[in-house]
Amino acid sequence: MTKFRVNKTKHVDQTKTVSFNFDGKSYHGFDGDTLASALLSNGVHLVGRSFKYHRPRGIMSCGSEEPNAICQINENTDLTEPNVRATEIELYEGLKASSQNCWPSVNFDIGGINNFISQFIPAGFYYKTFMWPKSFWKKIYEPLIRWSAGLGKSPTKPDPELYDHKHVHCDVLIIGGGISGIIASKIAAKNNLRTILIEDKNILGGSTIFQKNENYKINNKYSSEWLDDEIAELQKLDNLTIKTRTSLAAYHSYNYLLAKENISDHLPLDKKNGGIRQRLWKIRADKVLVATGAIERPLVFNNNDRPGIMLANSVKKYLDFYGVSCGFNNVIFTNNDSAYETAVSLKEKGISVEIIDIRKKSNSKIVKNAEKLGVKIYWNSTIVNTFGHRKIKSIEIMNLSEDGSNVVGDKNRINCDCLAVSGGWTPMVHMHTQSGGKLDFRENDQTFIPTEIDENHINVGSCNGDFELEEIINNTNKKVKNFLKVSETEFDNTSVLNSKELDKRNIWLLPNYISEGKCKSFIDFQNDSTAKDIKLALREGFKSIEHVKRYTTTGMATDQGKLSNMHALGIIADTAGVKMGTLGTTTFRPPFTPLTFGSIVGRSVGKFFDIIRKTSIHEWHSQNNAKFENVGQWKRPWYYPINDEGLHDAVQRESKAARDSAGILDASTLGKIDIQGTDASEFLNRVYTNAWSKLGIGKCRYGLMLNEDGMVYDDGVTTRLGENHYLMTTTTGGAANVLSKLEDYLQTEWPELDVYLTSVTDHYSTASVCGPNSKKILTKIFPDKDFSDEAFPHMSYQNAKIDEINCRIMRISFTGELSYEINVESKYGKSLWEKCIEVGKEFKITPYGTETMHLLRAEKGFIIVGQDTDGTMTPIDLQMDWIVSKKKYDFIGKRSLYRSDTIREDRKQLVGLLTDDPNEVLEEGAQIVSDVNKKPIEMIGHVTSSYFSPNLNKSIALAVVKSGKKMNGQKLIVPMENKNINVTVSDSVFLDKENKRIYA
Amino acid sequence: MFLINCPYCGERDQSEFSCGGEAHMVRPKQPTELSDDQWAEYLFMRKNIKGVQFERWNHAHGCRKWFNMVRDTSNDKIHAVYKMGEKPPVE
């Protein structure tokens, strides 16, 4: 046992030694220790350097509020994690931890120079300094700041561990397993409510669990023993789920909460077994009880950040819970009664302690108890300075003036090796405010207290401002009864002995004889902001708390200002001469403590990142060497290289084959909507720009759909299957949105229409066979069918069968070739495809992908919605006036086609572009200009589609150009990085203007 | 994350729904008779109230039905949900 391990407790098993490594040195702790308690038991206080001034910093607290003791664990492994609070990691065999923010080592840190030049790096230093010369920014300032800033190192490889999500519902969720959470859980569970209790530590009991003191008794037992009995009973309750090592991250509206459960973080590396590391609980609770407790406040005085300066209650926890004394020559600096508990505990174990109390006197029982034990108390005093570089060695104290605004009398030096500080308590209202709750300011102890917001959420215990034991028990019992509508509980007649009083003397910034400018009175320890910085910000004109926070970075570190926000507010209020309650607070945002990325994404990584949709023919594509492209969630064949063919060569070959003989495309991904009802034709009339009433049964028609603002939204071919039955196709990417939009109109604007919409995209697979030989192939597949132009004309559909399988054949064309789309139920998709390939062999049928499809349609000047349009193109802009019905009274977007803006003649309009050099292929997205000499150069359009056409043996492009309609034949320029490309505006149809090929 | 009481399915998580903006914007019966300004009023102008607001919601990943909701945007309290075509509940 080390000399600092002075006490045996039941929470730390001193028979089980655990070895670990900190900054390259081996130490021993025990089972039940945290990294922090184990370090302290070895006398190690100095664990890191501060962020800005690189001042030595030590462990300050024992929980999630810890600002200083943040480490890198398991460095140089895939499991490494930065910014882990030493106060929260449970010690395990082989744990490796190291300090952050120091180079070359925590004991000698070159950045410490910042401490001596701190006069010159005040708040806003970066904003003010790294401004000029401008050229220094990229090469000098930014790399320098990046190197010196930052907390820890992120892992360089993918996280090898597993994470999980879990959705849960419950009647009552209780956040916090301290005394009030335990009382609340017991009442809830005993009243037949499905209850979940979550606690971030590995055991229940909060701070009462180590409160074994004559001054605090419940029903004549020590409060810790009473609570032990309660916990033992609690664990027997059926409808209560207790989740330890689970911390609440977020409290959203309607009682939706996120909590992170640590499953294997406390296990040695070799015992993790590749199981789940952390699980994110997504909880929807009927009622939520917040019992998150309170955090002790530090005090703000000169040099209040030295290693060895800790929070008083944490010193008590290290002693009474972990059995570790943080020092043998302790001084307590306080403004309230609670720190006297620490003094009594230390003194009872024979450890030296003295008290500096800001107050003039206190007569509470606990103070009397301390005096009786012989603890020396310096009343009405304050610390004006502290000494000791890597660990506190001594302090200097002075008396306070009557009003506390100044120091008087002589300086008095006291030696110490640990300074325990208490500035009173701050209720943890984070959860309450995250959920939308408001706060009231309580003057007598300067705290923000939650005000209740609704009937499904309350706060109990010290997070509600009840700090004294009898208040906690009685008020919690009363509130929970009321909240859960319970008439009596076992806690109704609990007798409580409490020896403390809620009496404090609050001074936000303690006075000093040293001038303010020379004091380093830290408010935010992690971000190194001082009282001086806050005052400077106020002098520079920042008034809002949110602005001061950002300018000084107070409260913006990984601890989110758990220790600093109240002091910042207090000092602002004092300096500005306003009442504290009127300033409001900064916003508390989730997560309460940092979450790992792993727990946020859960299983949605790698191939589970997003849904992958494959057509029923996918397997054939894979086997035939297809390269795929993502279209929405679909995997579509992009091109089918033969041997080592690249994209360009494959597409040239595929395009040529489709025009010369036959090609085949998997068109299954196109959106398909089945439309039925007596008003189906009228419905189509209203959603498409062209007329539908006269479309005969068995005929197909191309339609263009607009938004109400007149812009092209989607397009596709719709087939009339019967009198009141249509099959609409949409673009692959637009399918879901089109259905949703159509439903919207149907349900909200035209509920009188008898129309039903059903998505059938996945129900059918489609093989599109095109090319001059397609008719021959179809005839071979369907020998009984007459495919002559008279029997089966362009833009018509017929049913047919392959064996007993029903097929719908549409003679429609997106390539400009004679083309048939064969639809079958999806399960037959692959057999249909293989049949087409088999039969097409003698015609050298060539499978082609999306790239070739795009090229073929571009040769014909057919648009692709989303490529040649971008939500600002009307059909008129696309030179598709022919599809806009003049006769129809109304359709979606009609009125917008003659708004003052949409009838402008200088809108960007779709045109064809031919490069003067036929081998020069333009880049899609390239800008188009008419004059490169006039500066600034006016951009008049851009290239939307561009290909080298093997069928025309030249480069072709589609583009949108201002007033393009009137520019046919005009010369324009596409300026590129190293040259200007000369182009000529042309018609957008490059091939077969007479549409002869569809009758091939 | 709201808990929304779909008038057709009951209480469901907000992730199943999508919001469709302000409710009770009736599409003009005769758009062609409207001036640009009048049409723009329907097409572009929407209130964005801090306080009680009438909104359209769609149970997109559920029954696909549209319905209306009265929500206080300042605290996200949902005061009522009602089917399309039904009269909004009087405050």
Side-chain angles (χ1 to χ4, degrees), chain A residues 798-843:
Chain A
Q798 290 187 19
N799 288 319
K801 278 190 177 190
I802 301 175
D803 300 331
E804 288 309 303
I805 301 161
N806 291 319
C807 306
R808 282 179 184 148
I809 308 169
M810 278 91 172
R811 184 176 164 186
I812 52 182
S813 176
F814 188 46
T815 57
E817 290 301 311
L818 173 64
S819 171
Y820 300 89
E821 291 191 358
I822 314 168
N823 293 270
V824 290
E825 276 181 65
S826 278
K827 58 183 169 185
Y828 303 120
K830 189 157 163 267
S831 355
L832 167 72
W833 181 272
E834 283 166 345
K835 176 117 188 160
C836 295
I837 296 284
E838 183 58 35
V839 172
K841 253 185 194 154
E842 62 177 287
F843 306 102

Side-chain angles (χ1 to χ4, degrees), chain A residues 518-538:
Chain A
K518 290 191 172 147
C519 281
K520 281 214 185 68
S521 312
F522 286 92
I523 292 176
D524 187 318
F525 294 87
Q526 199 171 114
N527 266 356
D528 263 355
S529 56
T530 63
K532 191 173 75 180
D533 292 328
I534 302 257
K535 292 194 168 187
L536 175 71
L538 289 167

Side-chain angles (χ1 to χ4, degrees), chain A residues 310-357:
Chain A
M310 303 174 69
L311 294 173
N313 192 261
S314 300
V315 170
K316 183 173 187 306
K317 184 167 183 182
Y318 285 118
L319 183 64
D320 291 343
F321 189 91
Y322 299 105
V324 175
S325 181
C326 297
F328 292 110
N329 199 6
N330 298 279
V331 171
I332 290 173
F333 184 27
T334 184
N335 68 2
N336 68 90
D337 272 2
S338 72
Y340 283 78
E341 295 171 23
T342 310
V344 168
S345 241
L346 284 163
K347 200 73 188 174
E348 279 177 344
K349 284 160 197 88
I351 299 167
S352 158
V353 57
E354 295 185 346
I355 297 179
I356 322 286
D357 198 324

Side-chain angles (χ1 to χ4, degrees), chain A residues 605-617:
Chain A
V605 288
K607 62 179 175 179
F608 299 123
F609 178 68
D610 196 11
I611 290 165
I612 294 172
R613 299 177 79 182
K614 294 174 182 169
T615 74
S616 62
I617 311 164

Side-chain angles (χ1 to χ4, degrees), chain A residues 847-971:
Chain A
Y848 65 92
T850 48
E851 194 63 25
T852 293
M853 174 184 85
H854 286 184
L855 191 161
L856 294 173
R857 63 85 211 181
E859 289 176 336
K860 283 290 295 174
F862 294 151
I863 59 156
I864 289 185
V865 174
Q867 175 159 344
D868 303 295
T869 73
D870 59 1
T872 65
M873 303 296 288
T874 69
I876 318 300
D877 298 336
L878 294 170
Q879 309 221 43
M880 290 171 77
D881 313 42
W882 53 271
I883 202 171
V884 180
S885 162
K886 304 265 181 320
K887 291 189 196 133
K888 282 201 293 184
Y889 182 71
D890 192 15
F891 55 83
I892 297 171
K894 177 175 168 98
R895 174 60 186 85
S896 290
L897 294 179
Y898 53 96
R899 282 159 46 212
S900 56
D901 185 56
T902 45
I903 53 173
R904 273 190 300 118
E905 294 197 346
D906 62 343
R907 290 178 62 84
K908 284 187 186 163
Q909 290 145 357
L910 187 81
V911 295
L913 283 188
L914 291 172
T915 45
D916 289 3
D917 171 2
N919 290 314
E920 181 82 68
V921 181
L922 297 171
E923 272 186 37
E924 288 175 358
Q927 309 278 289
I928 299 165
V929 304
S930 55
D931 184 354
V932 284
N933 297 316
K934 200 177 134 239
K935 306 275 164 64
I937 300 174
E938 194 199 357
M939 197 278 270
I940 59 168
H942 64 274
V943 178
T944 60
S945 298
S946 172
Y947 309 90
F948 185 83
S949 160
N951 300 303
L952 298 159
N953 202 25
K954 64 180 178 188
S955 153
I956 56 165
L958 297 173
V960 291
V961 178
K962 275 186 190 169
S963 308
K965 271 185 199 179
K966 290 186 255 168
M967 285 189 174
N968 212 348
Q970 202 165 314
K971 298 266 181 203

Side-chain angles (χ1 to χ4, degrees), chain B residues 56-76:
Chain B
R56 290 153 24 92
W57 282 76
N58 182 221
H59 194 183
H61 302 283
C63 64
R64 275 171 41 198
K65 282 284 195 186
W66 283 89
F67 59 92
N68 289 325
M69 187 194 280
V70 187
R71 181 175 68 103
D72 189 330
T73 57
S74 68
N75 58 15
D76 285 339

Side-chain angles (χ1 to χ4, degrees), chain A residues 301 527 559 694:
Chain A
F301 54 98
N527 266 356
D559 61 350
K694 285 180 190 152

